[in-house]
Amino acid sequence: MALNPVVIIPARMHATRLPGKPLADIHGEPMIVHVWRRAVQAGIGPVVVACAETEVFDAVHAHGGNAVMTDPDLPTGSDRVWQALCAIDPEHGFNAVVNVQGDLPTIDPAVIRAVFTPLKTKGVDISTLVTEIAVEEERANPNVVKAVVGLAPGQAIGRALYFSRATVPANAGPHYHHIGLYAYRRKALAKFVQLPQGVLERREKLEQLRALENGMRIDAALVDTVPLGVDTPADLERARALLR
């Protein structure tokens, strides 16, 4: 069956280090609008912002975008994406969904397209992105999530076998920085949000391990760089400088 995808961007105002993040001003427009516009430019399918607050909903609509309200108490972005998908498409017209984080205002639309590509392979439930670690300090940094993917030279897509905050795999060879964008088959996302937290998920504090612990297949596409995620006021200033 051919894939008919929709792109959903979960957004909520609560953020410890940068409160009100979706509406942070970048050259006269809210950050969420910059992300929405780049997702549209990716050309994958319709783009909808899944909002936890009416302020974000109103801002997206004021700039010509599509948005839907979701329960502000949902625990994760994946849950917000699923609730939004059910709200906008009760007839199941979309059989795939791309989850783009709402704090990536400088993301290259080609990177969004890249996360969708592995999903086109039969048997893949979820697809995501990795980039090769080039800064030595990142290998041991627990804040840099490593993806264990056995990519042969020249190979751009491979099966993700594990994700960890530790430096894995062992010995010489590339390590891959996991980039938290995802694309799901609709059935896979429906299954994922119903699963209980996994043992390894709790231990590593990595939601994607829930899928692997339950036998779901995740493939990862290799890209050149990690998109700038805006989590702090300093990140916001970097984004403003990049978007001048």
Side-chain angles (χ1 to χ4, degrees):
M1 180 187 295
L3 294 177
N4 182 30
V6 61
V7 180
I8 299 181
I9 307 170
R12 61 195 297 261
M13 293 287 282
H14 176 72
T16 304
R17 291 183 289 176
L18 190 61
K21 183 161 62 171
L23 299 185
D25 181 84
I26 300 177
H27 305 308
E29 292 184 327
M31 178 163 61
I32 192 65
V33 171
H34 287 267
V35 181
W36 164 78
R37 187 173 291 122
R38 285 168 180 264
V40 170
Q41 291 169 355
I44 293 172
V47 180
V48 179
V49 180
C51 309
E53 296 89 7
T54 55
E55 305 98 295
V56 181
F57 178 93
D58 291 342
V60 173
H61 275 274
H63 288 83
N66 292 323
V68 63
M69 291 298 301
T70 57
D71 183 348
D73 295 325
L74 290 171
T76 70
S78 301
D79 292 299
R80 197 169 307 286
V81 168
W82 174 246
Q83 189 175 92
L85 179 61
C86 293
I88 65 171
D89 184 34
E91 302 301 321
H92 291 223
F94 298 115
N95 60 6
V97 56
V98 180
N99 176 355
V100 176
Q101 297 175 36
D103 59 0
L104 303 173
T106 67
I107 190 169
D108 186 339
V111 171
I112 300 174
R113 288 194 294 273
V115 77
F116 181 63
T117 301
L119 206 65
K120 299 175 183 178
T121 298
K122 185 177 180 180
V124 176
D125 298 301
I126 303 169
S127 58
T128 190
L129 297 173
V130 296
T131 190
E132 187 170 342
I133 291 176
V135 179
E136 187 61 34
E137 291 76 9
E138 290 187 358
R139 296 181 197 273
N141 184 346
N143 295 314
V144 176
V145 177
K146 271 65 72 172
V148 179
V149 187
L151 292 175
Q155 186 179 357
I157 296 175
R159 188 164 183 171
L161 302 177
Y162 192 64
F163 298 87
S164 181
R165 297 183 183 279
T167 308
V168 287
N171 302 322
H175 290 95
Y176 297 104
H177 182 153
H178 177 234
I179 300 169
L181 273 72
Y182 297 94
Y184 303 83
R185 293 186 190 274
R186 186 178 185 133
K187 289 181 179 179
L189 181 57
K191 175 181 177 179
F192 179 79
V193 297
Q194 295 299 320
L195 292 170
Q197 270 198 329
V199 174
L200 294 171
E201 176 189 4
R202 289 193 296 272
R203 185 169 176 173
E204 293 263 20
K205 295 182 173 57
L206 297 174
E207 188 182 58
Q208 63 271 35
L209 290 177
R210 187 189 318 172
L212 293 183
E213 288 186 77
N214 285 276
M216 301 176 78
R217 177 175 168 180
I218 303 176
D219 276 21
L222 181 66
V223 295
D224 291 337
T225 57
V226 179
L228 171 63
V230 176
D231 291 315
T232 67
D235 294 335
L236 181 59
E237 288 306 316
R238 284 183 62 199
R240 286 170 175 157
L242 289 168
L243 291 171
R244 279 196 183 119

